[in-house]
Amino acid sequence: MARYSVFALARNALSHHQDWQRAWASPEPKAEYDVIVIGGGGHGLATAYYLAKNHGVRKVAVLEKGWLGGGNTGRNTTIIRSNYLRDPSAKIYELARGLYETLSQEFNFNIMFSPRGVLMLAQTEHEKRAYERTAHANRAQGIETEMVDPARCAEIVPILNIDGPRYPVLGGLWQARAGTARHDAVAWGYARGASEMGVDIIQNCEVTGIDRDADGVTGVRTTRGAIRTKKLCIVVAGHSGVLAEMAGFRLPVESVALQALVSEPIKPVIDCVVMANTVHGYLSQSDKGELVIGGGADGFNNYTQRGSFQHVEETVRALVETFPVISRLRMLRQWGGIVDMTGDRSPIIGPTPVPGIWINCGWGTGGFKAIPGSGWATASMLANGADPIAGPFGMERFREGRMIDESVAAAVAH
Ligand SMILES: Cc1cc2nc3c(=O)[nH]c(=O)nc-3n(C[C@H](O)[C@H](O)[C@H](O)COP(=O)(O)OP(=O)(O)OC[C@H]3O[C@@H](n4cnc5c(N)ncnc54)[C@H](O)[C@@H]3O)c2cc1C
């Protein structure tokens, strides 16, 4: 794969940028693979990348029914943080955050990681106590977060309305090394890296059936023909239940649409991410100047990828009381993604009841931040049969009552 550099840019200028090599190959599906990953979102692509890079497993295919990153990976509000409560979460989210710091250099592809800091506002006494608890837990886990008082919140975010018409700001949980990245570039970077190591990235290839015999999985049926494999990893976020049904087992997940919107571009007004859980809204500002605003999840199960006026109104109302300065902004576009929610708001990574089929799902409203860590751990699990970071996230925890409760960390969609 040709390297991107200032010299490559100059060289390609001579041919009017007509001869750039494609970022990843688009081969025809082969008859058989050692591992098939279903889902060309960030988690599926990262799994394939680390399978090849860390474990030398290269006869791998990623099957994507649409285009890379066309699912939630290209629809999220790009927040990256690791200030979760429980130890298993701390390990996987902090591994991911750390890997994000050097991904652009590793890929030779700019994912625009911006460690601009994330401030989670505490607007009730209860919320303040919950964040104080998280800050203590993070200290024990070696994750740098701190509780800050209202004056420091105002210093970090000058446009914040500290007094609030309904809920005053009582403090905040601040993670200075958290931030954002360009979401579709993360998918493209992993695809480019995986393709370079021999992984087949196959778009427009929908899995329509899963074949199995008495010993386990034998292959998949797709819109581009049948493909054999003895190792299958389902990584399809909101469609996990659909794929599980094809394979013949049930999952403890629900699918709902989660929405987001962006405003018209304006001059820089905010240089970090702010999340206001009590009123339910969060925002950051993109490099183009648009305010990137996270909305809520629909209150009923569905598979729509659309926005709705009800959520625009609720979210904008919450943000206008938190940041009155934005009250006259016009909104440019809104959209939705189908998120897969578990009861304890933690993901499922592990084997399934069907031998040879593994699953990575349940990231719900907050899996973008986890992509590098999740791919790293899932690849290790597939290559070695188990992984210490993925281990606690097996779905048997729901039967055993061993929840990894992250409802405070995920109280606002992000
Ligand atoms: C509006 C919104 C805002 C969000 N904000 C944040 C945030 O700020 N921070 C954060 O950390 N997380 C956020 N998230 C969550 C995050 O986007 C997801 O957890 C993450 O992107 C999931 O990645 P994935 O690779 O598992 O799934 P996806 O990116 O959805 O990829 C799954 C892929 O599987 C494909 N697929 C489905 N069925 C089949 C089939 N039968 N055959 C082949 N392919 C199939 C789909 O086309 C899709 O491309 C947000 C989500 C949304 C919707």
Side-chain angles (χ1 to χ4, degrees):
M1 198 76 74
R3 282 188 68 75
Y4 295 139
S5 69
V6 65
F7 304 110
L9 199 61
R11 219 173 21 253
N12 279 280
L14 296 175
S15 55
H16 304 281
H17 298 288
Q18 299 296 308
D19 297 330
W20 282 100
Q21 189 186 20
R22 289 202 177 267
W24 56 85
S26 291
E28 284 302 311
K30 297 191 179 76
E32 185 169 4
Y33 289 94
D34 291 343
V35 182
I36 289 181
V37 177
I38 311 178
H43 290 264
L45 291 163
T47 298
Y49 175 84
Y50 291 118
L51 265 174
K53 179 166 185 265
N54 294 357
H55 306 282
V57 183
R58 294 179 179 209
K59 214 176 155 200
V60 177
V62 178
L63 308 182
E64 165 54 49
K65 75 172 174 181
W67 65 95
L68 300 188
N72 295 342
T73 298
R75 292 167 185 271
N76 60 63
T77 43
T78 79
I79 300 173
I80 295 166
R81 60 187 174 89
S82 59
N83 53 356
Y84 283 63
L85 179 65
R86 309 281 169 191
D87 290 350
S89 319
K91 285 205 179 86
I92 198 160
Y93 289 108
E94 180 63 5
L95 170 65
R97 197 204 55 73
L99 287 167
Y100 263 122
E101 291 197 336
T102 52
L103 270 192
S104 294
Q105 290 81 353
E106 183 176 329
F107 290 159
N108 174 233
F109 186 85
N110 191 0
I111 63 154
M112 297 167 72
F113 177 61
S114 162
R116 59 183 68 184
V118 172
L119 180 65
M120 295 170 74
L121 300 179
Q123 291 178 285
T124 64
E125 284 296 339
H126 177 79
E127 200 172 28
K128 190 167 164 231
R129 275 198 297 274
Y131 286 158
E132 279 166 355
R133 185 181 179 209
T134 303
H136 290 313
N138 288 165
R139 195 163 309 122
Q141 291 152 347
I143 294 177
E144 279 177 51
T145 64
E146 58 176 318
M147 269 313 276
V148 291
D149 63 15
R152 176 81 180 116
C153 289
E155 208 176 282
I156 297 171
V157 191
I159 63 169
L160 190 60
N161 180 12
I162 292 291
D163 300 325
R166 288 189 296 159
Y167 297 99
V169 173
L170 304 175
L173 181 62
W174 172 239
Q175 185 172 20
R177 295 186 74 85
T180 59
R182 179 170 170 172
H183 47 195
D184 37 18
V186 173
W188 300 335
Y190 274 117
R192 182 167 180 263
S195 177
E196 187 169 22
M197 290 183 284
V199 170
D200 283 0
I201 311 279
I202 304 167
Q203 300 181 80
N204 297 313
C205 181
E206 179 171 357
V207 172
T208 52
I210 295 177
D211 294 325
R212 43 186 285 195
D213 62 17
D215 296 329
V217 67
T218 56
V220 292
R221 272 164 284 144
T222 78
T223 46
R224 294 175 67 174
I227 312 175
R228 292 190 304 278
T229 189
K230 294 264 179 230
K231 207 175 254 184
L232 182 66
C233 191
I234 300 174
V235 198
V236 295
H239 285 89
S240 301
V242 179
L243 269 292
E245 195 176 2
M246 283 183 204
F249 63 91
R250 294 193 69 197
L251 276 177
V253 295
E254 289 184 298
S255 292
V256 298
L258 175 68
Q259 302 186 19
L261 53 150
V262 290
S263 74
E264 60 188 332
I266 52 172
K267 284 185 179 170
V269 288
I270 180 165
D271 61 2
C272 65
V273 182
V274 179
M275 304 171 70
N277 296 6
T278 295
V279 294
H280 202 287
Y282 59 96
L283 63 75
S284 62
Q285 190 164 18
S286 75
D287 292 352
K288 268 192 288 185
E290 299 161 340
L291 295 185
V292 181
I293 297 175
D298 284 347
F300 48 92
N301 294 357
N302 65 79
Y303 286 92
T304 62
Q305 295 196 105
R306 284 195 300 266
S308 67
F309 285 117
Q310 176 212 346
H311 276 290
V312 174
E313 194 184 346
E314 277 175 10
T315 308
V316 169
R317 191 171 54 212
L319 290 177
V320 165
E321 69 176 78
T322 316
F323 309 99
V325 69
I326 70 166
S327 66
R328 280 172 296 141
L329 270 190
R330 278 169 298 197
M331 295 300 140
L332 264 195
R333 6 173 239 287
Q334 57 176 140
W335 64 90
I338 311 160
V339 296
D340 42 338
M341 312 281 283
T342 59
D344 61 1
R345 301 298 182 250
S346 287
I348 296 173
I349 311 174
T352 71
V354 182
I357 303 187
W358 305 73
I359 195 155
N360 175 322
C361 71
W363 292 99
T365 62
F368 174 68
K369 61 179 72 62
I371 285 172
S374 158
W376 184 286
T378 307
S380 152
M381 175 184 80
L382 290 172
N384 305 318
D387 174 77
I389 293 176
F393 296 103
M395 75 169 114
E396 68 284 352
R397 75 176 187 272
F398 293 100
R399 202 174 44 241
E400 295 165 1
R402 192 175 34 79
M403 308 302 175
I404 306 173
D405 184 358
E406 288 295 357
S407 35
V408 169
V412 69
H414 47 79

